[in-house]
């Protein structure tokens, strides 16, 4: 007798977001820019702190990872599938 509750607007039943949130330019720019700026902060910390050797290399590698992840989020290289082509 009870019916299943409806999903809120913008959320698919599987838990993912709808297409309008995946193609939100400002959302991608904000999150990707935040990751890029955090990479700049981590990289600058390697120059400010008196650490060297493996720790410095590890921090620079982590900064490069953050920067590349930020660029990937901004660029969004994965092509969108057209649901009508299936």
């Amino acid at each position: 007798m009870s019916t299943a509750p409806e999903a809120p607007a913008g959320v698919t039943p599987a838990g993912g977001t709808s297409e309008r949130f995946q193609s939100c330019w400002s959302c991608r720019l904000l999150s990707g820019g935040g990751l890029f700026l955090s990479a700049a902060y981590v990289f600058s910390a390697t120059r400010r702190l008196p650490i060297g050797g493996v720790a410095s290399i590890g921090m620079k590698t982590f900064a490069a990872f953050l920067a590349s992840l930020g660029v990937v989020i901004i660029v969004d290289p994965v092509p969108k599938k057209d649901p009508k082509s299936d």
Side-chain angles (χ1 to χ4, degrees):
M1 296 269 170
S2 65
T3 60
E6 291 186 26
V11 176
T12 59
T17 58
S18 68
E19 284 294 319
R20 68 180 167 145
F21 292 118
Q22 291 175 357
S23 63
C24 176
W25 172 247
S26 62
C27 300
R28 287 195 339 243
L29 189 62
L30 183 66
S31 60
L35 282 169
F36 199 78
L37 288 176
S38 65
Y41 177 76
V42 170
F43 185 76
S44 70
T46 61
R47 297 189 176 270
R48 279 186 286 123
L49 298 175
I51 57 174
V54 177
S56 178
I57 293 171
M59 286 177 71
K60 287 179 183 177
T61 304
F62 183 65
F65 168 73
L66 287 175
S68 61
L69 187 62
V71 168
V72 165
I73 287 177
I74 291 173
V75 173
D76 194 26
V78 179
K80 304 285 190 270
K81 278 189 169 182
D82 187 19
K84 295 177 184 171
S85 66
D86 289 338

